[in-house]
Amino acid sequence: MTQDARQRWQQRYDTALAQGKVRDADFTTLSGVEVDPVYGPADESAFPGFERIGYPGEFPFTRGLHATGYRGRAWTIRQFAGFGNAKQTNERYKMILAEGGGGLSVAFDMPTLMGRDSDDPRALGEVGHCGVAIDTAADMDVLFDGIDLEATTTSMTISGPAVPVFCMYLVAAERQGADLGKLNGTLQTDIFKEYIAQKEWLFAPEPHLRLIGDLMEYCAAEIPAYKPISVSGYHIREAGSTAAQELAYTLADGFAYVELGLDRGLDIEQFAPGLSFFFDSHLDFFEEIAKFRAARRIWARWLRDVYGAKTEKAQQLRFHTQTAGVSLTAQQPDNNITRTAIEALAAVLGGTQSLHTNALDEVLALPSAKAAQIALRTQQLIMEETGVMNVADPLGGSWYVEALTDEMERQAEEIFTRIKDMSADGTMTGGILRGIEDGWFTGEIAEAAFVYQRALEKGEKKVVGVNTLTGSVDAHDKLEILRVSHQVEIDQNAELAGRRERRDDAAARAAVERMVEVARTEANMVPAMLDAVRAEATLGEICDALRAEWGTYTEPARF
């Protein structure tokens, strides 16, 4: 290193301080001891390879993206919520924001996730049950009623029909009078993880990638602050993968979206900062912290050395974290509060940019208002009472954490090699598509899940309340859980029927037909889709028209 890393960090920190980018806060321990913004070795030369660890705010960003750490800005509290109809979910959003939430994260019901209208026969019994039902832009108007979308960052967890749902969000913002160019938030959109883990797709991979490419182009040109893709490892982990598999599959998917952007002729310095990530935070505390640190380092190195990104902004990996839903237990559900707190702390020590904490009752149903508040307060307690925001990457330099970080990176690189070896053209995209078609990803995850389940059944791995310490003083107490009434479905379908009657039906159908015509060209589909949404075309009508044009997809059998 030509200049002492500590000196470089100090210059960055002093610049941020001079620019007013360090919070005016008490940076002392509970006992009043003042702590430094970061810690490192007295003699860097005594640590071979120290440049792979470095200091926060410098390549390869192992220790964080910013020299100030959370002294500059706390992570965004972004609680994932959605149930019933748009009005009910709007009330929950207002509660979250009033109680200190920093952004919104929309959960959609299963029909919406599959691009079906609420009155579709295949939606029977599912409307509003695992999230909010959205059929038209009018639902988005209600969902965000009284919430300034221009001033609120909004994340939407949806992949298959992500682009038409995003168009509904944009139309709702238009109707509020928002400047669309100033909108900020994240759309999940990541279709690869659907084929790998979650299984919620509409078409074969290629048409989905067409839509994603169009979305990347549109956002880069029209809504520069909005992140059009949140590459999701969360669902991969929830399906049973190991931490290293989650890390590697997620970053490989991210590399494929980089390749998509480059194939579209987009400037990597412009579009790469619009790629964000979404990770699981599980219960192995130090392994999770190491996973997050390794993710930043790997991404920075590949973006610079493989894909040619030159600016720090384009090399930096930004991620949202959700605590592990799969770790929650129906037995002794109050234990889930503790599990969630541990997982949330790991995410914070790993340097997450935003965080959702699961509620104790989510293993049984959508969270009640009380459980949602406890989950929110868990983040706020970590933020306000533990002192973890005072020092950037406080575990940096720990022999154990650094060794685990290196091991995570090593395992991920082995997996990258296996994926690229499956490719006929040497690209990560080619390897992923082949791995999907061959069932390789699902087979690898299934094997990892089987190994873990066998260890549980043998008692080699412990889950409190499940295979150890199963006695409970309140074994007969019943948890009050949120139940979505069937009346929600009846009312939603009645409202949808009324909208179809009130709209200009010919205009809506013509707009959908025009969108299909654009799909047959190489033109960007987003403007035509926006026109269909403005005409109150439904989500099902838009998606069904594209299914008729592009066909559907059936996963290949694997035994």
Side-chain angles (χ1 to χ4, degrees):
M1 292 180 287
T2 57
Q3 183 186 15
D4 181 85
R6 176 74 188 209
Q7 291 177 332
R8 291 198 303 270
W9 170 84
Q10 191 68 58
Q11 289 173 359
R12 289 174 183 263
Y13 186 85
D14 290 345
T15 298
L17 189 63
Q19 294 173 344
K21 294 182 179 179
V22 176
R23 293 180 297 110
D24 182 14
D26 173 23
F27 300 123
T28 65
T29 69
L30 196 62
S31 303
V33 177
E34 188 169 348
V35 295
D36 292 338
V38 75
Y39 289 84
D43 180 7
E44 294 163 16
S45 63
F47 291 85
F50 180 74
E51 67 275 5
R52 298 179 67 249
I53 303 171
Y55 278 85
E58 70 170 10
F59 184 91
F61 309 106
T62 308
R63 302 192 67 188
L65 302 183
H66 306 291
T68 53
Y70 291 130
R71 284 196 181 196
R73 179 181 175 183
W75 67 92
T76 300
I77 296 175
R78 192 184 301 281
Q79 288 299 100
F80 185 50
F83 65 95
N85 59 33
K87 185 177 185 298
Q88 292 170 309
T89 299
N90 174 265
E91 292 169 357
R92 177 64 61 87
Y93 287 164
K94 288 176 177 174
M95 182 274 280
I96 290 171
L97 293 172
E99 293 288 338
L104 299 177
S105 184
V106 185
F108 297 95
D109 70 359
M110 187 57 70
T112 306
L113 291 170
M114 299 306 296
R116 305 287 183 188
D117 287 336
S118 294
D119 59 0
D120 188 305
R122 285 157 291 197
L124 184 64
E126 295 291 341
V127 176
H129 279 270
C130 69
V132 63
I134 299 294
D135 291 310
T136 71
D139 285 316
M140 282 290 190
D141 294 337
V142 176
L143 186 67
F144 296 114
D145 179 54
I147 298 170
D148 185 352
L149 288 177
E150 190 175 316
T152 306
T153 62
T154 304
S155 169
M156 292 184 282
T157 301
I158 193 164
S159 295
V163 181
V165 167
F166 178 66
C167 288
M168 292 178 183
Y169 163 79
L170 293 184
V171 169
E174 281 180 348
R175 292 171 178 172
Q176 285 188 0
D179 180 348
L180 298 192
K182 295 181 180 177
L183 294 179
N184 197 344
T186 305
L187 188 66
Q188 189 165 101
T189 320
D190 175 15
I191 203 63
F192 285 131
K193 62 90 174 173
E194 297 296 344
Y195 301 105
I196 291 172
Q198 198 172 24
K199 314 303 181 185
E200 293 166 5
W201 57 74
L202 308 189
F203 327 111
E206 289 76 9
H208 274 299
L209 292 176
R210 152 75 185 277
L211 280 173
I212 293 169
D214 286 354
L215 182 67
M216 290 172 69
E217 287 182 349
Y218 187 85
C219 288
E222 305 292 338
I223 318 175
Y226 200 90
K227 298 170 182 60
I229 306 176
S230 175
V231 190
S232 178
Y234 184 84
H235 307 88
I236 293 170
R237 190 67 179 279
E238 294 286 292
S241 78
T242 65
Q245 286 173 329
E246 176 198 358
L247 173 63
Y249 298 170
T250 308
L251 294 188
D253 290 350
F255 298 147
Y257 294 124
V258 171
E259 293 172 356
L260 176 61
L262 293 174
D263 287 345
R264 285 294 188 104
L266 300 179
D267 181 357
I268 194 170
E269 311 299 340
Q270 184 179 18
F271 78 78
L275 299 175
S276 66
F277 290 80
F278 174 23
F279 288 111
D280 197 297
S281 188
H282 218 298
L283 270 168
D284 194 312
F285 187 69
F286 292 105
E287 183 175 65
E288 295 303 294
I289 295 167
K291 179 186 73 183
F292 301 133
R293 298 170 86 250
R296 278 192 297 269
R297 186 157 78 199
I298 295 167
W299 184 255
R301 180 166 47 78
W302 274 67
L303 265 287
R304 184 191 69 177
D305 298 346
V306 178
Y307 297 111
K310 293 180 171 56
T311 61
E312 289 187 343
K313 191 173 183 181
Q315 297 165 357
Q316 292 174 339
L317 179 143
R318 301 160 187 82
F319 68 97
H320 169 75
T321 311
Q322 181 174 339
T323 56
V326 75
S327 73
L328 305 180
T329 66
Q331 301 92 327
Q332 300 178 16
D334 287 347
N335 295 345
N336 295 331
I337 299 173
T338 306
R339 291 186 177 100
T340 295
I342 292 168
E343 292 162 355
L345 184 57
V348 170
L349 290 174
T352 193
Q353 274 67 60
S354 66
L355 179 61
H356 164 81
T357 33
N358 289 327
L360 69 97
D361 54 0
E362 283 189 68
V363 69
L364 299 168
L366 293 165
S368 66
K370 179 180 179 181
Q373 186 184 59
I374 292 171
L376 178 64
R377 290 286 185 259
T378 298
Q379 288 202 53
Q380 292 166 329
L381 188 150
I382 292 171
M383 186 177 286
E384 302 294 344
E385 297 187 31
T386 63
V388 295
M389 296 204 302
N390 292 346
V391 177
D393 190 34
L395 293 177
S398 156
W399 292 333
Y400 181 41
V401 171
E402 297 301 349
L404 271 179
T405 302
D406 290 346
E407 177 61 16
M408 283 285 136
E409 184 176 18
R410 185 195 67 77
Q411 290 188 41
E413 289 292 342
E414 285 188 352
I415 294 171
F416 296 151
T417 299
R418 293 181 68 186
I419 294 172
K420 290 195 77 172
D421 284 347
M422 289 188 284
S423 173
D425 59 5
T427 64
M428 192 65 77
T429 306
I432 291 170
L433 292 173
R434 178 62 183 272
I436 289 168
E437 192 62 31
D438 290 351
W440 181 80
F441 290 103
T442 53
E444 293 292 296
I445 293 171
E447 178 62 23
F450 174 73
V451 169
Y452 177 69
Q453 183 63 32
R454 187 167 54 185
L456 279 180
E457 292 173 2
K458 290 181 177 179
E460 296 166 357
K461 298 291 185 184
K462 306 290 186 184
V463 176
V464 172
V466 177
N467 67 350
T468 186
L469 304 172
T470 55
S472 177
V473 296
D474 60 352
H476 301 292
D477 289 353
K478 289 188 176 180
L479 195 67
E480 292 294 328
I481 62 173
L482 176 67
R483 299 186 187 278
V484 177
S485 167
H486 180 60
Q487 190 63 40
V488 167
E489 184 169 333
I490 295 171
D491 293 345
Q492 183 72 15
N493 288 343
E495 179 64 28
L496 179 56
R499 289 177 198 161
R500 288 200 183 101
E501 290 177 2
R502 293 189 296 270
R503 74 183 184 183
D504 183 335
D505 194 63
R509 293 182 182 279
V512 172
E513 289 175 5
R514 172 60 184 154
M515 178 197 70
V516 174
E517 290 172 3
V518 173
R520 293 168 183 161
T521 72
E522 294 184 358
N524 193 298
M525 289 182 61
V526 174
M529 197 173 285
L530 277 168
D531 287 342
V533 167
R534 292 186 185 108
E536 293 298 325
T538 70
L539 180 65
E541 288 166 349
I542 291 170
C543 294
D544 283 346
L546 293 176
R547 274 186 273 249
E549 180 68 18
W550 289 333
T552 57
Y553 176 77
T554 300
E555 186 176 32
R558 179 183 173 91
F559 300 97

